[in-house]
Amino acid sequence: MTIVAVHGIGNHLIGRSPEQAAAELAGQWQLKLQHGFTATGLGDHQLPALHVAYYAHHTHATERQAVLPDVHSLDEREQSIVIAWALALGSPTFQERQGLMTAPLRQVLSWVSQRRNIPIRTLIRLAVQLAGEVRRYLHVPHVRAAARSAVAESIRRVRPRVVLAHSLGSVVAYEALHAHPELTVDCLVTLGSPLGLPGGIFDHLVPAPISNRGARPAGVRYWVNLADTGDLVAIPLRLGDRFPVDQHADTPIGRIDFHSFGAYLSSPLTAAAISPFVRNPTIPDKDA
């Protein structure tokens, strides 16, 4: 059995072809998945192989490759994405929100830094990376089409029972599966997903949400969402408030490595979520 893994932000590998990059990432993450299976007592079970659906060569902003993270480098649309993310992350009161909407971007991030006790450098680095890749995916049509096609083609070729979609990859996988309803997946697992981020992502999804609810892709039989309670990108944590998620779990996964795909793959939560589909074809009870 093979699982398709859809990566998130920050996974562009310089100097590799897409095929080489996919193979390299698969090798790294296979070891992480093994760790998760061992930690949950499934180490003696046949480990599924990972195939990475690689699209970072489309969403990567080449011109910023060697530039230090700086909020002043963001264009107007990227700044709006960061503002939406920062406000959701800081959960301000109505009065605070009104004031922050017109404040300089660095001041907004400083406010979040103090409120959440997060180093400002960490916030700025993540904000610049997140805004650049999200903007290119959501607002550059040929980039969006190419990234979705890359993911859809991987699923079509591999025909996995399970798709693990991390970070921005959960957005790409969600839209790719919607665009190709003929592709069937027994279990979609979204990890550290920003799908429900108001303003920055949720309102720009295709298909557009109806009555503030996103729809399940037609070919997805079961949907699990996992989020680290300290994940700065998985905002809001509970996708079930906006999407028809069958199972949700949030728990501390990594104090430092709070958003990486590797940390999620190493978690027993991930192994437990996919193990029913690895062991047998039975779809778990949605109330379990």
Side-chain angles (χ1 to χ4, degrees), residues 85 191-194 226-228 231-238 259 264:
W85 170 66
L191 306 161
S193 174
L226 304 177
D228 185 337
D231 195 328
L232 302 182
V233 176
I235 305 293
L237 288 176
R238 297 192 66 86
H259 181 65
Y264 276 105

Side-chain angles (χ1 to χ4, degrees), residues 1 17 21 24 38 44 47 78-79 82 91 104-106 119 147 154-155 164 174 180 191 195 220 236 244 281 288:
M1 174 183 169
S17 69
E24 185 172 330
T38 300
D44 58 344
L47 186 70
E78 289 168 338
Q79 289 188 35
V82 173
S91 301
L105 183 54
R106 188 178 179 92
S154 288
I155 296 173
L164 298 172
Y174 175 84
H180 297 274
L191 306 161
L195 264 168
V220 173

Side-chain angles (χ1 to χ4, degrees), residues 80 83-84 87 92 94-105 108:
S80 70
I83 289 290
L87 293 180
F94 177 77
Q95 288 185 335
E96 287 174 321
R97 177 178 287 269
Q98 294 300 102
L100 291 167
M101 288 295 288
T102 57
L105 183 54
V108 176

